């Protein structure tokens, strides 16, 4: 608070007041850093291992010192993820570090969608092996999202692409690969009906009809009214009945 007086001969006494926070003559102070936990600091120091390395010309990429590799078994180092993070931050100097979790790399999303759509076009044209390659490219892009982004987005992108690749494998009669992809989709996004549908299709291709029916039933436990699953279960059950009748007829003919 400042307090000033103004007096003139023959005039009334006047006051002016100014209230505000006390002013410091030393300027803004730096934030006070918390004192490290001694026990935690001791654990860090005990685990610390100096690693010799070399840097790229722009100093954004680390390599092992002896072989200039990002990942080197001989030197027991792996700088791949560190370099990916370094490149992202170097290319986006205005990002907070670490950035908020809701930041989405729009360019990467566009690349995933474009590559997936290329695979869809190839699939519709009957070029299933080429479609598999494009879906694989889209999957590789999807898993390269920055670690600070929402994990749900990566799960949705990756499960969609791998589901499509499973369908392409099925059309190419590579049922083992189709089944592996379907299982991966279920692991990533279990409540989604497509993963269970793709698994059932692959199992039918492998002539494992009863397992296929169980796969569809599991999907229906999450989406009981899904028409695609309900219709496919009906088709599988008809095929099982036909198979049973054939087995019975063959048994009688052998007697």
């Amino acid at each position: 608070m400042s307090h000033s007086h103004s007096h003139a001969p023959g005039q009334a006494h006047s006051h002016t007041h100014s209230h505000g926070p006390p002013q410091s003559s030393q300027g803004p102070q730096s934030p006070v850093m918390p004192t490290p936990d001694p026990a935690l600091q001791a654990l860090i120091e005990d685990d610390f291992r100096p690693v010799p390395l070399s840097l790229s010309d722009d100093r954004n990429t680390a390599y092992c010192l002896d072989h200039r590799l990002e990942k080197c078994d001989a030197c027991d180092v792996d700088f791949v993820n560190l370099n990916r993070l370094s490149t992202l931050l170097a290319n986006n100097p205005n990002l907070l570090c670490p950035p908020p979790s809701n930041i989405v790399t729009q360019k990467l999303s566009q690349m995933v969608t474009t590559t997936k759509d290329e695979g869809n076009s190839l699939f519709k044209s009957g070029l299933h092996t080429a479609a598999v390659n494009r879906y694989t490219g889209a999957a590789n892009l999807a898993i390269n999202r920055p670690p600070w982004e929402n994990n749900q987005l990566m799960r949705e992108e990756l499960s969609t692409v791998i589901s499509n690749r499973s369908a392409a494998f099925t059309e190419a009669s590579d049922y083992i690969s189709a089944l592996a992809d379907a299982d991966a989709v279920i692991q990533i996004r279990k409540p989604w009906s497509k993963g269970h549908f793709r698994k059932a299709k692959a199992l039918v291709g492998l002539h494992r009809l009863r397992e296929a029916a169980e796969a569809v039933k599991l999907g229906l436990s999450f989406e009981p009214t899904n028409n695609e699953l309900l219709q496919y279960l009906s088709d599988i059950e008809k095929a099982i009945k036909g198979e049973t009748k054939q087995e019975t007829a063959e048994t009688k003919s052998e007697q």
Side-chain angles (χ1 to χ4, degrees):
M1 180 182 74
S2 64
H3 187 169
S4 65
H5 298 264
S6 176
H7 298 277
Q11 293 183 348
H13 182 104
S14 67
H15 288 254
T16 61
H17 296 265
S18 175
H19 295 269
Q23 301 295 317
S24 172
S25 60
Q26 298 180 353
Q29 296 183 348
S30 300
V32 178
M33 297 298 292
T35 303
D37 182 322
L40 182 59
Q41 188 67 31
L43 286 173
I44 293 173
E45 291 177 357
D46 184 60
D47 190 56
F48 176 73
R49 176 173 64 93
V51 177
L53 54 83
S54 61
L55 297 175
S56 59
D57 292 338
D58 60 9
R59 305 186 69 80
N60 291 333
T61 306
Y63 305 103
C64 72
L65 187 62
D66 294 335
H67 312 99
R68 284 192 64 81
L69 297 173
E70 284 189 271
K71 183 176 181 179
C72 180
D73 293 335
C75 296
D76 190 24
V77 295
D78 184 351
F79 297 123
V80 172
N81 289 330
L82 176 66
N83 288 339
R84 182 160 63 92
L85 179 60
S86 171
T87 300
L88 285 165
L89 293 175
N91 291 339
N92 298 275
N94 295 324
L95 282 180
L96 298 175
C97 183
S101 60
N102 62 343
I103 286 182
V104 176
T105 308
Q106 296 295 337
K107 186 176 180 181
L108 183 56
S109 293
Q110 184 179 3
M111 290 170 65
V112 172
T113 300
T114 299
T115 309
K116 180 193 69 176
D117 289 346
E118 290 172 358
N120 292 344
S121 297
L122 291 166
F123 182 92
K124 291 175 183 177
S125 300
L127 302 172
H128 302 119
T129 301
V132 164
N133 292 334
R134 297 314 293 150
Y135 291 139
T136 300
N140 290 337
L141 290 169
I143 62 175
N144 276 306
R145 287 202 164 277
W148 59 76
E149 286 189 355
N150 192 329
N151 185 259
Q152 184 61 29
L153 177 62
M154 185 273 287
R155 286 176 175 270
E156 290 177 359
E157 287 181 339
L158 187 59
S159 59
T160 300
V161 170
I162 295 179
S163 172
N164 289 3
R165 190 172 69 178
S166 177
F169 276 132
T170 296
E171 291 300 320
S173 300
D174 186 352
Y175 301 116
I176 296 296
S177 296
L179 180 59
D181 271 358
D183 280 331
V185 173
I186 293 170
Q187 185 176 5
I188 296 168
R189 198 173 164 191
K190 192 169 186 178
W192 191 38
S193 64
K194 278 295 182 184
H196 304 281
F197 178 72
R198 300 296 185 212
K199 181 172 184 177
K201 294 276 281 187
L203 288 168
V204 167
L206 293 168
H207 306 291
R208 292 155 61 179
L209 297 182
R210 287 166 178 78
E211 291 179 63
E214 291 303 315
V216 175
K217 289 175 182 177
L218 180 57
L220 286 169
S221 70
F222 296 104
E223 296 185 36
T225 60
N226 185 284
N227 290 328
E228 185 176 48
L229 291 179
L230 288 169
Q231 181 59 54
Y232 200 48
L233 179 59
S234 176
D235 294 342
I236 293 172
E237 289 176 340
K238 288 177 183 177
I240 291 173
K241 288 179 181 178
E243 189 179 75
T244 302
K245 287 181 180 179
Q246 183 178 353
E247 289 173 352
T248 302
E250 289 175 354
T251 301
K252 287 182 179 180
S253 65
E254 291 173 359
Q255 291 177 348

